[in-house]
Amino acid sequence: MSSPAARLRAHLAATPFTVMPCCFDGLSARLIGDAGFDVTFMSGFAVSATRIGQPDTGLISYGEMADTARNVAAATRALVIGDGDTGYGNALNVKRTVKGYAQAGMAAVMIEDQVAPKRCGHTKGKLVVDRVEAVNRIKAAVDAREEGADILILARTDARHGHGIDEALERARAFRDAGADMLFVEAPQSVEEMETICREVPGVHMANLVEGGATPMLPHAELQRIGYRLAAYPLTLLSAMTRAMQEALAVMKAGGHPDAALLDFADLRKAVGFDAYYEEEATYADRRD
């Protein structure tokens, strides 16, 4: 069986545009795969929220993210791109992160150029390291790949926020030249900027679509026309889940029970894998008459 990285390379070669609902734990990853999506992205924002109940402000550690990556990769048929944040330290930490994500079963890892502690790309307080350090992070990630980590490198820049689109473009070009497999210029603020990114820096580009964020929410066909190859929706499932739980809790607090909003118990069992478990278990049953 080919590796996740090899399968992602083949997918990108054969598929002009890929929609990626983003996961944050084993169940969300499983549901994404079961829904027929070929690729998902493990969102750092969503993992921080669900694993430690804290905002995406650099509070979650490499160890916690790598552990979640293992759980996610094991739970889904979809290929997973893992959020590696800043690499959690210097260039050698970046290499460790890349190797660890490959061992966890990630098909690709994202490394970004923010200072530590990092921030969600669509919230205030973002700062980036200088261009030399940013490129060195990607070089370290590529070195880890070349030294045997079977994983693709997604290089992200957040320079648009504080330094403008031209600096973001220069960083994206430098990341591509350093050997990154995919590029992600975070938080363009108009369709024109999105078009400029894809036109001026040839490569496999990812769009990050955050409901209420800085980047326009465009239809899939428009994103593909612009030149994007990947479209990530990092918070859609987290938002849907959070709203559903808040509404159910409000009903229970008021003395009721949210029956109408719940899955049938049989459907819930199927969603979390009981049916598949029992089917496989039966193949090992004692069939003596």
Side-chain angles (χ1 to χ4, degrees):
M1 183 181 296
S2 60
S3 70
R7 289 161 52 207
L8 181 56
R9 288 189 185 94
H11 174 87
L12 291 171
T15 310
F17 184 75
T18 298
V19 176
M20 301 189 301
C22 294
C23 63
F24 42 83
D25 61 9
L27 179 59
S28 59
R30 180 189 182 95
L31 294 175
I32 290 167
D34 288 351
F37 291 94
D38 294 317
V39 188
T40 183
F41 184 97
M42 185 184 77
S43 162
F45 182 115
V47 173
S48 184
T50 56
R51 176 155 181 150
I52 64 172
Q54 295 291 337
D56 184 22
T57 52
L59 296 173
I60 197 164
S61 69
Y62 161 73
E64 290 164 320
M65 289 293 291
D67 182 60
T68 301
R70 284 187 289 271
N71 293 337
V72 161
T76 185
R77 57 166 291 277
L79 299 166
V80 188
I81 300 173
D83 188 348
D85 291 324
T86 63
Y88 305 98
N90 64 16
L92 296 183
N93 291 95
V94 171
K95 293 181 74 172
R96 178 175 183 246
T97 297
V98 171
K99 293 176 181 179
Y101 275 42
Q103 292 166 355
M106 298 289 97
V109 57
M110 184 180 76
I111 300 294
E112 65 190 58
D113 60 359
Q114 285 196 46
V115 301
K118 56 88 43 125
R119 296 288 189 270
C120 166
H122 290 255
T123 58
K124 64 181 181 180
K126 289 197 305 179
L127 297 171
V128 295
V129 298
D130 64 55
R131 195 189 302 174
V132 171
E133 183 175 349
V135 174
N136 280 337
R137 286 182 184 173
I138 302 307
K139 287 180 177 178
V142 170
D143 285 345
R145 185 192 67 199
E146 298 303 308
E147 290 168 8
D150 192 8
I151 195 166
L152 276 65
I153 307 302
L154 170 60
R156 163 179 164 171
T157 179
D158 284 82
R160 167 63 185 89
H161 175 75
H163 300 271
I165 191 66
D166 289 340
E167 176 63 17
L169 294 173
E170 287 300 318
R171 292 185 182 217
R173 292 188 189 98
F175 295 164
R176 178 200 61 198
D177 293 345
D181 301 286
M182 299 172 285
L183 302 171
F184 171 22
V185 176
E186 172 66 302
Q189 298 182 11
S190 66
V191 173
E192 291 73 23
E193 287 189 359
M194 298 169 80
E195 292 173 334
T196 297
I197 290 164
C198 294
R199 182 180 66 248
E200 297 296 326
V201 190
V204 177
H205 285 276
M206 185 182 90
N208 195 40
L209 290 309
V210 176
E211 294 85 357
T215 300
M217 293 288 292
L218 302 178
H220 297 162
E222 179 69 359
L223 291 168
Q224 185 175 353
R225 181 200 66 78
I226 288 171
Y228 285 102
R229 297 286 307 284
L230 300 161
Y233 293 82
L235 304 183
T236 306
L237 297 186
L238 175 66
S239 181
M241 178 193 75
T242 302
R243 178 173 181 173
M245 288 197 295
Q246 287 178 332
E247 291 177 351
L249 290 166
V251 171
M252 295 177 76
K253 182 66 175 176
H257 195 269
D259 299 278
L262 301 182
L263 281 175
D264 181 84
F265 186 38
D267 291 333
L268 180 60
R269 293 197 309 269
K270 181 177 180 180
V272 301
F274 275 95
D275 289 3
Y277 178 90
Y278 292 141
E279 182 178 348
E280 184 174 3
E281 183 184 45
T283 66
Y284 299 100
D286 186 345
R287 297 186 180 278
R288 292 175 295 179
D289 294 324

mmCIF file of all heavy atoms in Angstrom, residues 99-118:
data_model
loop_
_atom_site.group_PDB
_atom_site.id
_atom_site.type_symbol
_atom_site.label_atom_id
_atom_site.label_comp_id
_atom_site.label_asym_id
_atom_site.label_seq_id
_atom_site.Cartn_x
_atom_site.Cartn_y
_atom_site.Cartn_z
ATOM 1 N N LYS A 99 9.097 15.277 10.943
ATOM 2 C CA LYS A 99 9.301 13.834 11.070
ATOM 3 C C LYS A 99 8.220 13.199 11.943
ATOM 4 O O LYS A 99 7.715 12.109 11.637
ATOM 5 C CB LYS A 99 10.687 13.562 11.653
ATOM 6 C CG LYS A 99 11.829 13.945 10.718
ATOM 7 C CD LYS A 99 13.191 13.754 11.380
ATOM 8 C CE LYS A 99 14.321 14.174 10.450
ATOM 9 N NZ LYS A 99 15.655 14.026 11.092
ATOM 10 N N GLY A 100 7.850 13.883 13.013
ATOM 11 C CA GLY A 100 6.817 13.347 13.904
ATOM 12 C C GLY A 100 5.461 13.266 13.238
ATOM 13 O O GLY A 100 4.716 12.289 13.421
ATOM 14 N N TYR A 101 5.116 14.261 12.423
ATOM 15 C CA TYR A 101 3.835 14.231 11.723
ATOM 16 C C TYR A 101 3.827 13.139 10.666
ATOM 17 O O TYR A 101 2.786 12.502 10.436
ATOM 18 C CB TYR A 101 3.534 15.593 11.102
ATOM 19 C CG TYR A 101 2.870 16.579 12.046
ATOM 20 C CD1 TYR A 101 3.301 16.702 13.369
ATOM 21 C CD2 TYR A 101 1.834 17.388 11.635
ATOM 22 C CE1 TYR A 101 2.698 17.599 14.231
ATOM 23 C CE2 TYR A 101 1.217 18.291 12.491
ATOM 24 C CZ TYR A 101 1.657 18.398 13.780
ATOM 25 O OH TYR A 101 1.049 19.287 14.633
ATOM 26 N N ALA A 102 4.961 12.919 10.011
ATOM 27 C CA ALA A 102 5.042 11.822 9.043
ATOM 28 C C ALA A 102 4.830 10.484 9.741
ATOM 29 O O ALA A 102 4.077 9.624 9.267
ATOM 30 C CB ALA A 102 6.384 11.852 8.324
ATOM 31 N N GLN A 103 5.470 10.304 10.884
ATOM 32 C CA GLN A 103 5.310 9.068 11.646
ATOM 33 C C GLN A 103 3.879 8.895 12.136
ATOM 34 O O GLN A 103 3.394 7.762 12.289
ATOM 35 C CB GLN A 103 6.287 9.055 12.824
ATOM 36 C CG GLN A 103 7.736 8.949 12.409
ATOM 37 C CD GLN A 103 8.703 9.267 13.547
ATOM 38 O OE1 GLN A 103 8.285 9.654 14.640
ATOM 39 N NE2 GLN A 103 9.992 9.110 13.287
ATOM 40 N N ALA A 104 3.187 10.004 12.387
ATOM 41 C CA ALA A 104 1.801 9.949 12.862
ATOM 42 C C ALA A 104 0.817 9.583 11.757
ATOM 43 O O ALA A 104 -0.343 9.286 12.048
ATOM 44 C CB ALA A 104 1.404 11.290 13.473
ATOM 45 N N GLY A 105 1.255 9.614 10.502
ATOM 46 C CA GLY A 105 0.376 9.253 9.401
ATOM 47 C C GLY A 105 -0.155 10.424 8.602
ATOM 48 O O GLY A 105 -1.044 10.240 7.750
ATOM 49 N N MET A 106 0.387 11.631 8.824
ATOM 50 C CA MET A 106 -0.034 12.777 8.043
ATOM 51 C C MET A 106 0.505 12.665 6.617
ATOM 52 O O MET A 106 1.641 12.244 6.399
ATOM 53 C CB MET A 106 0.476 14.072 8.669
ATOM 54 C CG MET A 106 -0.032 14.371 10.072
ATOM 55 S SD MET A 106 -1.788 14.849 10.157
ATOM 56 C CE MET A 106 -2.539 13.278 10.594
ATOM 57 N N ALA A 107 -0.305 13.095 5.649
ATOM 58 C CA ALA A 107 0.145 13.129 4.262
ATOM 59 C C ALA A 107 0.954 14.391 3.970
ATOM 60 O O ALA A 107 1.798 14.405 3.076
ATOM 61 C CB ALA A 107 -1.046 13.064 3.315
ATOM 62 N N ALA A 108 0.690 15.454 4.721
ATOM 63 C CA ALA A 108 1.393 16.726 4.563
ATOM 64 C C ALA A 108 1.384 17.448 5.897
ATOM 65 O O ALA A 108 0.548 17.167 6.763
ATOM 66 C CB ALA A 108 0.750 17.589 3.477
ATOM 67 N N VAL A 109 2.302 18.385 6.038
ATOM 68 C CA VAL A 109 2.375 19.199 7.247
ATOM 69 C C VAL A 109 2.499 20.662 6.840
ATOM 70 O O VAL A 109 3.211 20.994 5.887
ATOM 71 C CB VAL A 109 3.559 18.785 8.148
ATOM 72 C CG1 VAL A 109 4.888 18.873 7.409
ATOM 73 C CG2 VAL A 109 3.595 19.609 9.434
ATOM 74 N N MET A 110 1.787 21.530 7.523
ATOM 75 C CA MET A 110 1.879 22.962 7.279
ATOM 76 C C MET A 110 2.834 23.605 8.281
ATOM 77 O O MET A 110 2.716 23.382 9.487
ATOM 78 C CB MET A 110 0.505 23.624 7.401
ATOM 79 C CG MET A 110 0.517 25.108 7.060
ATOM 80 S SD MET A 110 -1.117 25.857 7.208
ATOM 81 C CE MET A 110 -1.277 25.988 9.007
ATOM 82 N N ILE A 111 3.763 24.411 7.771
ATOM 83 C CA ILE A 111 4.679 25.186 8.599
ATOM 84 C C ILE A 111 4.517 26.652 8.229
ATOM 85 O O ILE A 111 4.519 27.016 7.053
ATOM 86 C CB ILE A 111 6.144 24.741 8.390
ATOM 87 C CG1 ILE A 111 6.321 23.258 8.755
ATOM 88 C CG2 ILE A 111 7.088 25.618 9.203
ATOM 89 C CD1 ILE A 111 6.115 22.934 10.220
ATOM 90 N N GLU A 112 4.397 27.515 9.236
ATOM 91 C CA GLU A 112 4.112 28.929 8.984
ATOM 92 C C GLU A 112 5.216 29.840 9.508
ATOM 93 O O GLU A 112 6.138 29.394 10.199
ATOM 94 C CB GLU A 112 2.781 29.300 9.627
ATOM 95 C CG GLU A 112 2.784 29.203 11.140
ATOM 96 C CD GLU A 112 1.392 29.345 11.740
ATOM 97 O OE1 GLU A 112 0.501 28.553 11.397
ATOM 98 O OE2 GLU A 112 1.209 30.255 12.563
ATOM 99 N N ASP A 113 5.087 31.138 9.204
ATOM 100 C CA ASP A 113 6.153 32.096 9.517
ATOM 101 C C ASP A 113 5.803 33.066 10.640
ATOM 102 O O ASP A 113 6.445 34.107 10.783
ATOM 103 C CB ASP A 113 6.561 32.884 8.269
ATOM 104 C CG ASP A 113 5.413 33.694 7.652
ATOM 105 O OD1 ASP A 113 4.275 33.639 8.170
ATOM 106 O OD2 ASP A 113 5.665 34.377 6.634
ATOM 107 N N GLN A 114 4.809 32.744 11.447
ATOM 108 C CA GLN A 114 4.505 33.615 12.583
ATOM 109 C C GLN A 114 5.561 33.488 13.682
ATOM 110 O O GLN A 114 6.275 32.484 13.778
ATOM 111 C CB GLN A 114 3.140 33.261 13.165
ATOM 112 C CG GLN A 114 1.956 33.730 12.346
ATOM 113 C CD GLN A 114 0.664 33.693 13.149
ATOM 114 O OE1 GLN A 114 0.621 34.142 14.296
ATOM 115 N NE2 GLN A 114 -0.392 33.171 12.549
ATOM 116 N N VAL A 115 5.619 34.507 14.527
ATOM 117 C CA VAL A 115 6.430 34.407 15.735
ATOM 118 C C VAL A 115 5.679 33.525 16.731
ATOM 119 O O VAL A 115 4.489 33.270 16.589
ATOM 120 C CB VAL A 115 6.700 35.792 16.368
ATOM 121 C CG1 VAL A 115 7.420 36.712 15.393
ATOM 122 C CG2 VAL A 115 5.401 36.442 16.848
ATOM 123 N N ALA A 116 6.400 33.054 17.726
ATOM 124 C CA ALA A 116 5.764 32.269 18.791
ATOM 125 C C ALA A 116 5.551 33.178 20.005
ATOM 126 O O ALA A 116 6.431 33.964 20.348
ATOM 127 C CB ALA A 116 6.641 31.082 19.170
ATOM 128 N N PRO A 117 4.404 33.099 20.678
ATOM 129 C CA PRO A 117 3.271 32.224 20.362
ATOM 130 C C PRO A 117 2.486 32.745 19.165
ATOM 131 O O PRO A 117 2.293 33.946 19.014
ATOM 132 C CB PRO A 117 2.430 32.266 21.633
ATOM 133 C CG PRO A 117 2.731 33.599 22.239
ATOM 134 C CD PRO A 117 4.175 33.873 21.925
ATOM 135 N N LYS A 118 2.046 31.822 18.319
ATOM 136 C CA LYS A 118 1.334 32.180 17.096
ATOM 137 C C LYS A 118 -0.114 32.532 17.402
ATOM 138 O O LYS A 118 -0.590 32.407 18.531
ATOM 139 C CB LYS A 118 1.421 31.042 16.077
ATOM 140 C CG LYS A 118 0.921 29.679 16.541
ATOM 141 C CD LYS A 118 -0.571 29.417 16.320
ATOM 142 C CE LYS A 118 -1.039 29.881 14.965
ATOM 143 N NZ LYS A 118 -1.706 28.817 14.185
#
